[in-house]
Amino acid sequence: MHNLSGYAGTIGLPSVSSVRPVHTAIIKQCPQFSCSLTSRAQLIHEFRGKKKNIALLPPLEYARSSSEVKIIPGVGISSRTSANSVRLYFNKGLHHIETVAVNPAFSSEIVLAHILLNECYQTTPKIVPMEGGIERLLSNANACLIVEDSEFLLADSDESIDLIDLWIDYIGLPYVHDILVCNEQTLLPNDLAGFLDIGNIAQQLIEQEVNEVGEEEITNESTALGGKRESLGGSFYYRLGEDEIESIKEFFRLAYYYRILHDIPDLRFHTIESTKVIPN
């Protein structure tokens, strides 16, 4: 275990099942940091308000403040195969999607849907901000977007599209759900050491569980994550490698093309040696 020069800070993680291996790895590697779990919307609010020094956030949130934050390398949450974590449901018999109901808190997933519906189906449906279950959402729109955070995510159906699977097939790269970011002056180079193995440790934890129980459901006993039974094995990947970085850059490029981002941000990585910039 690394000693991070006695620095103590705050880390925020979204309270979703896929984050469990990262949470465990951070507690093991960086015990002097206060690490808490909260809703994604609250986490974004706290990080923007600098109440959290470090946070696991969608790449879109990094893009919106890239001049003030850096990416901690080597760790993220991505999907290389279908994870059933972002799914678009639509009314039976629908031939053209004109409206999509979605919780406005899921801004990154809304952008993903906007990109893929334009790229793959040449349609730009109107977004209807709304909370609730699938039945309520579909009674107010042609389709609805349901995300892993929600208790309403269902299994595959004929009246649905797995957007993560669609991204992987269309772009040819994994989809990156979250990356670990820190405010500009949060970490000194020596403070970073304990974070560099988090992705590897998280990946090893989930691979160990898969080896122990095969592809069966893994029981999540953490009350902080809701105490649900979750199927994580094989669905999520926790190392931030070259393919994941290329995927983030492609997401930014498409978001810029569709005028969601005002520019394409560079990826600025916090490293022990120096700040590393990967041009867009």
Side-chain angles (χ1 to χ4, degrees):
M1 186 180 298
H2 297 278
N3 180 354
L4 302 193
S5 306
Y7 180 85
T10 57
I11 304 173
L13 305 177
S15 182
V16 294
S17 60
S18 58
V19 83
R20 176 165 50 86
V22 177
H23 185 219
T24 302
I26 288 175
I27 291 173
K28 179 180 178 181
Q29 285 291 101
C30 311
Q32 70 276 38
F33 279 75
S34 171
C35 187
S36 61
L37 296 152
T38 188
S39 71
R40 197 177 297 275
Q42 181 63 25
L43 178 57
I44 291 171
H45 175 74
E46 290 180 355
F47 186 73
R48 288 177 179 174
K50 299 190 177 356
K51 293 181 180 179
K52 290 287 185 290
N53 306 121
I54 301 168
L56 192 68
L57 296 174
L60 184 65
E61 290 304 318
Y62 165 83
R64 287 169 170 165
S65 55
S66 61
S67 63
E68 300 175 357
V69 302
K70 297 177 184 176
I71 301 169
I72 294 178
V75 58
I77 301 179
S78 62
S79 294
R80 295 185 168 189
T81 59
S82 173
N84 194 36
S85 57
V86 183
R87 188 172 284 274
L88 187 73
Y89 293 90
F90 45 87
N91 287 307
K92 191 172 183 178
L94 184 70
H95 297 291
H96 183 72
I97 299 175
E98 296 181 350
T99 54
V100 175
V102 60
N103 185 332
F106 301 131
S107 58
S108 188
E109 290 79 9
I110 292 171
V111 172
L112 174 66
H114 180 88
I115 289 171
L116 291 177
L117 288 174
N118 274 276
E119 289 286 309
C120 301
Y121 299 98
Q122 293 74 53
T123 184
T124 308
K126 178 183 177 181
I127 297 298
V128 180
M130 183 178 298
E131 297 184 32
I134 292 175
E135 184 176 346
R136 178 174 186 266
L137 297 180
L138 287 181
S139 68
N140 288 274
N142 297 147
C144 68
L145 188 63
I146 304 295
V147 183
E148 178 200 7
D149 299 45
S150 170
E151 62 183 289
F152 305 108
L153 190 65
L154 300 180
D156 189 9
S157 77
D158 292 338
E159 287 78 40
S160 71
I161 301 170
D162 185 330
L163 292 185
I164 301 305
D165 201 30
L166 184 59
W167 172 271
I168 294 167
D169 286 345
Y170 181 70
I171 302 298
L173 291 166
Y175 179 76
V176 180
H177 302 274
D178 294 292
I179 54 178
L180 198 59
V181 298
C182 63
N183 287 312
E184 182 76 40
Q185 303 300 325
T186 293
L187 296 175
L188 296 173
N190 289 339
D191 297 326
L192 184 61
F195 286 91
L196 297 182
D197 286 330
I198 287 174
N200 287 329
I201 293 172
Q203 190 64 36
Q204 290 166 6
L205 287 170
I206 203 64
E207 289 175 357
Q208 181 181 348
E209 289 186 333
V210 170
N211 290 335
E212 289 175 354
V213 301
E215 293 300 326
E216 297 177 1
E217 287 186 329
I218 299 168
T219 300
N220 177 9
E221 298 178 350
S222 171
T223 55
L225 296 182
K228 304 174 185 176
R229 285 181 69 83
E230 303 290 351
S231 180
L232 298 184
S235 298
F236 297 102
Y237 187 76
Y238 296 94
R239 298 185 180 108
L240 190 68
E242 291 183 5
D243 285 348
E244 287 73 29
I245 291 171
E246 287 302 314
S247 179
I248 294 171
K249 291 163 69 175
E250 183 65 10
F251 185 86
F252 288 168
R253 186 189 70 79
L254 287 166
Y256 173 75
Y257 176 80
Y258 287 107
R259 300 182 179 181
I260 296 162
L261 293 177
H262 297 299
D263 54 26
I264 304 175
D266 291 332
L267 301 184
R268 304 194 310 137
F269 284 82
H270 206 329
T271 66
I272 289 178
E273 295 82 9
S274 63
T275 298
K276 180 181 178 182
V277 176
I278 297 181
N280 56 49

